[in-house]
Amino acid sequence: MDYASISSNLLYVAFIAYLVATFFFGGAIRDKRSAQKKTKWATFGIAVTIIGFIAQIGYFITRWIASGHAPVSNLFEFTTFFGMMLVGAFIVIYFIYRLSMLGLFALPVALLIIAYASMFPTEITPLIPALQTNWLHIHVTTAATGEAVLSISFVAGLIYLIKTIDQSKRNKKAFWLEFILYTLISTLGFVAVTLAFNAAHYESSFNWVNKSGEQEQVVYHMVPLVGPHQSEWTDGNDIQPLIDMPAIINAKKLNTVIWSLAGGFVLYWLIRFILWKRIGAALQPLVKQVNSDLLDEVSYRAVAIGFPIFTLGALIFAMIWAQMAWTRFWGWDPKEVWALITFLFYAAFLHLRLSKGWHGEKSAWLAVGGFAIIMFNLVAVNLVIAGLHSYA
């Protein structure tokens, strides 16, 4: 039995199910006929979401069988698992609060994450020696689950900000809200740019000197805007990088990030042109009926649940594994540093919430800021900064 093919098909089924469920939750928000009609829309939405979640669990299990190890060993597998746990966290919180609005925003975020993951190599590969341990699935799955629950706080906080920020005039709050929406759209930009260059079969090779002073070769699949350290163009392509990066920076992946932001910029302004208004202003009518206090409560509860899970997985389990693998608990690797920054940020979130009374809009901005740190850790630290976790 071809478990690898089955796992791919199940992931595709999950993606389609989440997309359909988003439309059902949208119907629950837009249908103005009766509360009973809204309930039916929401019931269909959560039912299809659960079907998709079960399909994605099936993907996870069959890929585990096909690979012989927990499928969280590379960026495709980790990010896909992160998206799955975000949906799982949404399902649990939905049954506590019955908030359809959460589904209308949480599922698109999960779809963006899964689409982002699918742009990376999906082939099943053997584990490198450093990952051949049970701590792989203990540490990584727990950390990803904690981040997924914390992401629900972001979703609730984002809805809160869209509802409460005055969109009728230019101000700093409206600008930063729009910037947040642009960064989400940039994920679509990454997908679009990757597909475009893949269709064009673009390829460009460079020799470069890594941080150990050794010669290596790297192949670009996007036009090189930035090049690797002390690079030398090798394939006769007439398009050369504008600037070389230091060896600590993964120039190829930074190049991908730059193209993604550029693609997101084009998509953002295309959407603005179609809507003829800021995206936040276009979304505001959808959220005007939602209870702001309930959103604030959901945001806080997600942090209260996700923070200890993240602490356990990303710090405690990570330090135990580091001691076993590298004979030290802590080494100031970029991934370790940003895990600590994430921990300190959410610790400050809870402190400000419980001791200083930061509720409502202040709390929502903190929730959004925390998600920005998580995404920086996932994208910039994994892709751009060279370190012991670069295999991700």
Side-chain angles (χ1 to χ4, degrees):
M1 187 176 292
D2 187 359
Y3 286 106
S5 178
I6 293 172
S7 69
S8 298
N9 291 334
L10 286 172
L11 183 60
Y12 180 76
V13 169
F15 187 90
I16 297 300
Y18 299 152
L19 189 61
V20 172
T22 301
F23 285 103
F24 280 126
F25 283 119
I29 302 303
R30 297 301 296 270
D31 197 325
K32 302 182 183 304
R33 287 176 288 179
S34 67
Q36 185 178 9
K37 292 288 185 181
K38 290 178 180 290
T39 301
K40 285 185 178 179
W41 280 107
T43 300
F44 284 129
I46 193 63
V48 175
T49 302
I50 292 172
I51 291 171
F53 184 66
I54 292 171
Q56 197 167 358
I57 291 175
Y59 144 80
F60 186 78
I61 293 172
T62 51
R63 189 173 176 94
W64 193 327
I65 294 171
S67 65
H69 58 79
V72 288
S73 63
N74 57 43
L75 200 55
F76 164 72
E77 293 175 343
F78 174 85
T79 308
T80 303
F81 179 79
F82 174 49
M84 180 178 76
M85 296 313 296
L86 194 157
V87 174
F90 158 69
I91 292 170
V92 172
I93 291 178
Y94 175 83
F95 280 110
I96 297 173
Y97 293 99
R98 301 286 177 172
L99 189 57
S100 298
M101 184 65 67
L102 206 62
L104 184 60
F105 283 81
L107 292 180
V109 172
L111 285 167
L112 287 174
I113 289 171
I114 295 170
Y116 170 79
S118 68
M119 295 299 102
F120 293 98
T122 61
E123 296 82 6
I124 294 174
T125 55
L127 286 178
I128 64 173
L131 299 181
Q132 293 174 7
T133 168
N134 289 331
W135 283 105
L136 169 65
H137 48 267
I138 296 173
H139 156 57
V140 179
T141 58
T142 309
T145 301
E147 290 180 339
V149 179
L150 291 171
S151 298
I152 297 297
S153 176
F154 157 74
V155 174
L158 180 62
I159 299 170
Y160 188 101
L161 294 175
I162 292 172
K163 178 184 178 181
T164 58
I165 288 177
D166 183 6
Q167 300 283 344
S168 63
K169 56 186 178 181
R170 294 179 180 274
N171 55 67
K172 288 182 180 180
K173 292 179 181 179
F175 169 81
W176 284 111
L177 175 60
E178 205 68 6
F179 180 78
I180 293 162
L181 296 172
Y182 156 70
T183 59
L184 292 175
I185 292 170
S186 291
T187 306
L188 281 179
F190 168 73
V191 174
V193 168
T194 302
L195 291 176
F197 278 110
N198 287 346
H201 302 290
Y202 180 84
E203 189 172 292
S204 185
S205 301
F206 295 90
N207 289 329
W208 68 292
V209 179
N210 65 23
K211 64 181 183 179
S212 300
E214 301 169 343
Q215 282 274 348
E216 289 188 16
Q217 186 177 68
V218 62
V219 179
Y220 277 57
H221 297 287
M222 294 182 182
V223 172
L225 301 176
V226 294
H229 181 58
Q230 296 181 12
S231 61
E232 185 180 74
W233 173 48
T234 63
D235 61 0
N237 195 315
D238 59 356
I239 301 176
Q240 298 188 49
L242 300 176
I243 186 173
D244 286 356
M245 302 306 297
I248 194 173
I249 300 296
N250 188 317
K252 176 184 175 181
K253 293 178 179 178
L254 176 59
N255 190 66
T256 302
V257 172
I258 294 171
W259 273 107
S260 301
L261 293 175
F265 184 82
V266 173
L267 285 176
Y268 170 79
W269 283 105
L270 179 62
I271 295 170
R272 282 284 301 265
F273 178 77
I274 294 171
L275 297 174
W276 209 246
K277 61 176 70 174
R278 287 194 296 267
I279 297 175
L283 292 173
Q284 198 165 48
L286 294 175
V287 304
K288 62 182 180 180
Q289 300 298 329
V290 70
N291 187 314
S292 298
D293 291 336
L294 184 57
L295 288 172
D296 187 53
E297 171 71 10
V298 170
S299 181
Y300 163 66
R301 291 297 177 190
V303 174
I305 296 169
F307 178 68
I309 298 174
F310 174 82
T311 302
L312 186 66
L315 289 181
I316 297 175
F317 289 162
M319 287 190 290
I320 294 172
W321 188 7
Q323 175 64 30
M324 295 174 63
W326 300 315
T327 66
R328 88 298 188 271
F329 287 106
W330 191 263
W332 298 104
D333 182 70
K335 193 77 170 177
E336 296 172 346
V337 171
W338 279 95
L340 178 61
I341 290 171
T342 307
F343 166 81
L344 293 174
F345 182 90
Y346 281 105
F349 177 105
L350 292 174
H351 171 73
L352 292 170
R353 173 93 185 191
L354 299 174
S355 301
K356 302 297 183 180
W358 279 35
H359 295 259
E361 187 176 318
K362 289 182 178 180
S363 181
W365 281 115
L366 287 175
V368 168
F371 185 73
I373 293 173
I374 289 173
M375 288 298 98
F376 184 86
N377 201 350
L378 176 65
V379 178
V381 177
N382 275 332
L383 292 184
V384 178
I385 304 173
L388 292 172
H389 291 77
S390 294
Y391 53 76

